[in-house]
Amino acid sequence: MGCTAEDLVTAIRAAADTVADHRVELIQLDRVIGDGDHGENLARGFTAVLAALEQSTPDSPSAVLKTVASTLISKVGGAAGPLYGTAFLRASAAVKDKAELGPADVLAALTAALGGVVARGKAEPGDKTMVDALDPAVKAAAAGESVAEVLALAADAAEKGADATVPLVARKGRASYLGERSADHMDPGARSTSLLLRAFAEVAAR
Ligand code: ADP
Ligand code: MG
């Protein structure tokens, strides 16, 4: 069974709930190696996304992703807004004209999202950014044979990837200003990426 526009709206709502539930955690992670706004930025962004999805009910998965992208780009400041915005925009373009997304489409969307983040932020794996969650997620997702499996594999790998950012020294973003002192802390963007993917995976598993 594929993922329709309606299913995707359900997944985005779940992602917004997760971001709200983990707002303080993300603020605290960002306070240690950044400026403490990551949880607030994302919570505000996803609240605006929910409002935008209420206003106009997008009629294709691609249109849902595009609404998410444009809302995040316009409402979320900092590094993460444009990065997540670009990710959703590229994902939207990757599934253009599809009424329902199958596993290959979801994989294509995740791959495009990673491509967008890398094109925009120029981070490589190991730089202690959201790429450290998204890159292993995309690699693991390729083995999935259903939408639920693709997303479960992605979420599992993203969680491991986020955990693996703890010992790293940041080479991109605000945390890189701390140099060696950025080590021993989880990257907030890698954590939020793992949370978003877990929310999508849980909806797909229903
Ligand atoms: P800011 O750093 O501007 O305050 P946020 O706090 O919202 O923005 O987001 C910080 C997160 O953004 C970091 O934890 C990291 O995961 C991600 N990030 C920052 N710069 C980059 C980059 N160049 N490429 C990928 N991700 C990045
Ligand atoms: Mg910040």
Side-chain angles (χ1 to χ4, degrees), residues 7 14 22 24 26 36 52 59 76 81 83 99 138 142 160 167 177 181-182 186 191 195 200:
D7 297 332
H22 292 266
V24 172
L26 293 172
D59 61 359
V76 185
L83 287 165
V138 168
K160 288 203 186 78
Y177 307 158
R181 279 182 294 139
S182 63
M186 191 183 296
R191 175 65 178 146
L195 288 170
F200 297 157

mmCIF file of all heavy atoms in Angstrom, residues 7 14 22 24 26 36 52 59 76 81 83 99 138 142 160 167 177 181-182 186 191 195 200:
data_model
loop_
_atom_site.group_PDB
_atom_site.id
_atom_site.type_symbol
_atom_site.label_atom_id
_atom_site.label_comp_id
_atom_site.label_asym_id
_atom_site.label_seq_id
_atom_site.Cartn_x
_atom_site.Cartn_y
_atom_site.Cartn_z
ATOM 1 N N ASP A 7 -1.970 10.475 3.909
ATOM 2 C CA ASP A 7 -1.041 9.758 4.798
ATOM 3 C C ASP A 7 0.145 10.646 5.151
ATOM 4 O O ASP A 7 0.623 10.653 6.291
ATOM 5 C CB ASP A 7 -0.487 8.494 4.117
ATOM 6 C CG ASP A 7 -1.564 7.474 3.807
ATOM 7 O OD1 ASP A 7 -2.581 7.446 4.524
ATOM 8 O OD2 ASP A 7 -1.387 6.706 2.837
ATOM 9 N N ALA A 14 2.452 14.079 12.865
ATOM 10 C CA ALA A 14 3.187 13.310 13.885
ATOM 11 C C ALA A 14 4.568 13.916 14.104
ATOM 12 O O ALA A 14 5.053 13.989 15.245
ATOM 13 C CB ALA A 14 3.297 11.849 13.457
ATOM 14 N N HIS A 22 9.782 17.277 22.017
ATOM 15 C CA HIS A 22 11.240 17.289 22.243
ATOM 16 C C HIS A 22 11.841 18.693 22.142
ATOM 17 O O HIS A 22 13.055 18.836 22.063
ATOM 18 C CB HIS A 22 11.930 16.341 21.256
ATOM 19 C CG HIS A 22 11.605 14.900 21.510
ATOM 20 N ND1 HIS A 22 12.388 14.089 22.285
ATOM 21 C CD2 HIS A 22 10.550 14.151 21.123
ATOM 22 C CE1 HIS A 22 11.833 12.889 22.354
ATOM 23 N NE2 HIS A 22 10.711 12.894 21.657
ATOM 24 N N VAL A 24 12.265 21.078 24.323
ATOM 25 C CA VAL A 24 13.214 21.445 25.387
ATOM 26 C C VAL A 24 14.526 20.668 25.229
ATOM 27 O O VAL A 24 15.614 21.226 25.382
ATOM 28 C CB VAL A 24 12.575 21.218 26.778
ATOM 29 C CG1 VAL A 24 13.605 21.399 27.890
ATOM 30 C CG2 VAL A 24 11.398 22.175 26.965
ATOM 31 N N LEU A 26 15.854 19.587 22.498
ATOM 32 C CA LEU A 26 16.622 20.155 21.369
ATOM 33 C C LEU A 26 17.219 21.517 21.742
ATOM 34 O O LEU A 26 18.342 21.841 21.347
ATOM 35 C CB LEU A 26 15.733 20.274 20.125
ATOM 36 C CG LEU A 26 15.278 18.929 19.527
ATOM 37 C CD1 LEU A 26 14.240 19.160 18.435
ATOM 38 C CD2 LEU A 26 16.460 18.127 18.974
ATOM 39 N N GLY A 36 21.232 27.579 21.377
ATOM 40 C CA GLY A 36 20.031 27.217 22.130
ATOM 41 C C GLY A 36 18.700 27.454 21.443
ATOM 42 O O GLY A 36 17.662 27.376 22.092
ATOM 43 N N ALA A 52 -0.404 25.910 7.825
ATOM 44 C CA ALA A 52 -0.400 25.964 6.355
ATOM 45 C C ALA A 52 -1.143 24.766 5.769
ATOM 46 O O ALA A 52 -1.862 24.890 4.764
ATOM 47 C CB ALA A 52 1.033 26.004 5.837
ATOM 48 N N ASP A 59 -3.028 18.342 -2.593
ATOM 49 C CA ASP A 59 -3.678 17.134 -3.115
ATOM 50 C C ASP A 59 -2.708 16.076 -3.642
ATOM 51 O O ASP A 59 -3.138 15.087 -4.219
ATOM 52 C CB ASP A 59 -4.707 17.512 -4.188
ATOM 53 C CG ASP A 59 -4.059 18.220 -5.351
ATOM 54 O OD1 ASP A 59 -2.832 18.438 -5.314
ATOM 55 O OD2 ASP A 59 -4.788 18.542 -6.311
ATOM 56 N N VAL A 76 11.453 29.566 9.659
ATOM 57 C CA VAL A 76 12.492 29.082 10.565
ATOM 58 C C VAL A 76 13.812 29.760 10.257
ATOM 59 O O VAL A 76 14.333 29.678 9.153
ATOM 60 C CB VAL A 76 12.658 27.545 10.480
ATOM 61 C CG1 VAL A 76 13.656 27.065 11.522
ATOM 62 C CG2 VAL A 76 11.329 26.852 10.682
ATOM 63 N N GLY A 81 16.562 25.955 9.404
ATOM 64 C CA GLY A 81 15.376 26.273 8.605
ATOM 65 C C GLY A 81 15.630 26.092 7.116
ATOM 66 O O GLY A 81 14.946 25.299 6.453
ATOM 67 N N LEU A 83 18.077 24.557 5.736
ATOM 68 C CA LEU A 83 18.547 23.191 5.440
ATOM 69 C C LEU A 83 17.369 22.221 5.366
ATOM 70 O O LEU A 83 17.232 21.467 4.397
ATOM 71 C CB LEU A 83 19.551 22.738 6.498
ATOM 72 C CG LEU A 83 20.921 23.409 6.412
ATOM 73 C CD1 LEU A 83 21.721 23.174 7.691
ATOM 74 C CD2 LEU A 83 21.703 22.913 5.203
ATOM 75 N N ALA A 99 0.767 10.099 -7.338
ATOM 76 C CA ALA A 99 -0.422 10.184 -6.494
ATOM 77 C C ALA A 99 -0.207 9.468 -5.169
ATOM 78 O O ALA A 99 -0.763 9.847 -4.139
ATOM 79 C CB ALA A 99 -1.616 9.584 -7.228
ATOM 80 N N VAL A 138 19.733 7.204 4.704
ATOM 81 C CA VAL A 138 19.477 6.955 3.285
ATOM 82 C C VAL A 138 20.124 5.636 2.857
ATOM 83 O O VAL A 138 19.512 4.823 2.149
ATOM 84 C CB VAL A 138 20.008 8.126 2.430
ATOM 85 C CG1 VAL A 138 20.023 7.782 0.960
ATOM 86 C CG2 VAL A 138 19.172 9.383 2.685
ATOM 87 N N ALA A 142 17.757 1.920 1.728
ATOM 88 C CA ALA A 142 17.788 1.261 0.413
ATOM 89 C C ALA A 142 17.411 -0.215 0.488
ATOM 90 O O ALA A 142 16.949 -0.793 -0.495
ATOM 91 C CB ALA A 142 19.170 1.430 -0.217
ATOM 92 N N LYS A 160 21.232 5.850 15.370
ATOM 93 C CA LYS A 160 22.638 5.448 15.585
ATOM 94 C C LYS A 160 23.573 6.557 15.139
ATOM 95 O O LYS A 160 24.573 6.854 15.804
ATOM 96 C CB LYS A 160 22.957 4.172 14.804
ATOM 97 C CG LYS A 160 22.308 2.929 15.380
ATOM 98 C CD LYS A 160 23.091 1.669 14.953
ATOM 99 C CE LYS A 160 22.388 0.399 15.404
ATOM 100 N NZ LYS A 160 21.238 0.087 14.522
ATOM 101 N N PRO A 167 31.015 11.916 20.113
ATOM 102 C CA PRO A 167 32.458 12.168 20.259
ATOM 103 C C PRO A 167 33.051 13.115 19.212
ATOM 104 O O PRO A 167 34.198 13.547 19.372
ATOM 105 C CB PRO A 167 33.069 10.765 20.109
ATOM 106 C CG PRO A 167 32.077 9.989 19.327
ATOM 107 C CD PRO A 167 30.734 10.541 19.671
ATOM 108 N N TYR A 177 32.590 26.637 15.928
ATOM 109 C CA TYR A 177 33.312 27.739 16.592
ATOM 110 C C TYR A 177 33.953 27.270 17.896
ATOM 111 O O TYR A 177 34.909 27.871 18.372
ATOM 112 C CB TYR A 177 32.390 28.938 16.908
ATOM 113 C CG TYR A 177 31.586 29.483 15.767
ATOM 114 C CD1 TYR A 177 30.422 30.219 15.997
ATOM 115 C CD2 TYR A 177 31.965 29.291 14.433
ATOM 116 C CE1 TYR A 177 29.663 30.731 14.957
ATOM 117 C CE2 TYR A 177 31.208 29.793 13.384
ATOM 118 C CZ TYR A 177 30.055 30.507 13.654
ATOM 119 O OH TYR A 177 29.298 30.997 12.625
ATOM 120 N N ARG A 181 36.034 21.670 21.953
ATOM 121 C CA ARG A 181 35.029 21.710 23.034
ATOM 122 C C ARG A 181 33.646 21.260 22.555
ATOM 123 O O ARG A 181 32.740 21.072 23.354
ATOM 124 C CB ARG A 181 34.943 23.118 23.641
ATOM 125 C CG ARG A 181 36.049 23.397 24.666
ATOM 126 C CD ARG A 181 35.891 24.774 25.278
ATOM 127 N NE ARG A 181 36.091 25.812 24.264
ATOM 128 C CZ ARG A 181 35.372 26.921 24.149
ATOM 129 N NH1 ARG A 181 34.385 27.163 24.988
ATOM 130 N NH2 ARG A 181 35.642 27.794 23.207
ATOM 131 N N SER A 182 33.476 21.118 21.233
ATOM 132 C CA SER A 182 32.196 20.606 20.741
ATOM 133 C C SER A 182 32.083 19.091 20.931
ATOM 134 O O SER A 182 30.988 18.534 20.793
ATOM 135 C CB SER A 182 32.004 20.974 19.273
ATOM 136 O OG SER A 182 33.004 20.372 18.470
ATOM 137 N N MET A 186 25.888 15.549 21.810
ATOM 138 C CA MET A 186 25.175 15.170 20.591
ATOM 139 C C MET A 186 24.826 16.413 19.773
ATOM 140 O O MET A 186 24.470 17.455 20.333
ATOM 141 C CB MET A 186 23.896 14.413 20.946
ATOM 142 C CG MET A 186 23.251 13.762 19.717
ATOM 143 S SD MET A 186 21.695 12.928 20.082
ATOM 144 C CE MET A 186 22.250 11.653 21.188
ATOM 145 N N ARG A 191 20.037 14.967 15.993
ATOM 146 C CA ARG A 191 18.969 14.468 16.867
ATOM 147 C C ARG A 191 17.593 14.787 16.272
ATOM 148 O O ARG A 191 16.717 13.934 16.233
ATOM 149 C CB ARG A 191 19.108 15.092 18.257
ATOM 150 C CG ARG A 191 18.002 14.760 19.223
ATOM 151 C CD ARG A 191 17.964 13.271 19.569
ATOM 152 N NE ARG A 191 16.916 12.998 20.541
ATOM 153 C CZ ARG A 191 16.211 11.869 20.551
ATOM 154 N NH1 ARG A 191 16.433 10.909 19.658
ATOM 155 N NH2 ARG A 191 15.288 11.674 21.464
ATOM 156 N N LEU A 195 14.562 12.238 15.079
ATOM 157 C CA LEU A 195 13.193 12.343 15.617
ATOM 158 C C LEU A 195 12.159 12.425 14.493
ATOM 159 O O LEU A 195 11.105 11.791 14.553
ATOM 160 C CB LEU A 195 13.070 13.584 16.507
ATOM 161 C CG LEU A 195 13.786 13.511 17.857
ATOM 162 C CD1 LEU A 195 13.785 14.885 18.527
ATOM 163 C CD2 LEU A 195 13.129 12.476 18.767
ATOM 164 N N PHE A 200 7.911 9.650 11.193
ATOM 165 C CA PHE A 200 7.408 9.154 9.897
ATOM 166 C C PHE A 200 7.294 7.625 9.926
ATOM 167 O O PHE A 200 6.306 7.054 9.445
ATOM 168 C CB PHE A 200 8.348 9.559 8.748
ATOM 169 C CG PHE A 200 8.475 11.042 8.522
ATOM 170 C CD1 PHE A 200 9.595 11.568 7.880
ATOM 171 C CD2 PHE A 200 7.487 11.930 8.922
ATOM 172 C CE1 PHE A 200 9.727 12.931 7.658
ATOM 173 C CE2 PHE A 200 7.606 13.298 8.706
ATOM 174 C CZ PHE A 200 8.730 13.796 8.076
#
